[in-house]
Amino acid sequence: MTTHGISLNVEPDLSHYRGIVACGLRDYGVTSLADLGLPVTMLDADAALRQAFESEFGPVQSAPPPDLGLRTERDLSP
């Protein structure tokens, strides 16, 4: 863990990162799970991150996720 949190790029537009030097590491770029050939949804990433976190730190309390106005695969189904 870092003192400023964690960043997990699932499938962003990476062009927005061109002017950013992530974590001050100039010799390394920014990538995403999609660009690494891992086509996962935000729900998949959330479940995997929670499982990994809980295996290290123990169970966490469940809370409803915030409504961020994001569309899900279910919203896009006919």
Side-chain angles (χ1 to χ4, degrees):
M1 284 287 188
T2 66
T3 58
H4 62 272
I6 182 173
S7 175
L8 182 63
N9 296 322
V10 176
E11 192 175 5
D13 177 354
L14 294 176
S15 68
H16 298 291
Y17 292 89
R18 287 190 189 129
I20 297 172
V21 178
C23 299
L25 302 172
R26 291 196 177 279
D27 295 333
Y28 299 93
V30 175
T31 192
S32 69
L33 294 175
D35 278 9
L36 294 172
L38 301 166
V40 299
T41 66
M42 287 295 290
L43 293 175
D44 295 332
D46 182 58
L49 183 59
R50 181 177 181 147
Q51 181 181 9
F53 183 92
E54 287 183 338
S55 71
E56 186 68 30
F57 300 105
V60 297
Q61 279 187 313
S62 291
D67 181 6
L68 301 176
L70 300 176
R71 296 173 69 183
T72 65
E73 290 175 11
R74 185 177 21 203
D75 296 332
L76 302 175
S77 298

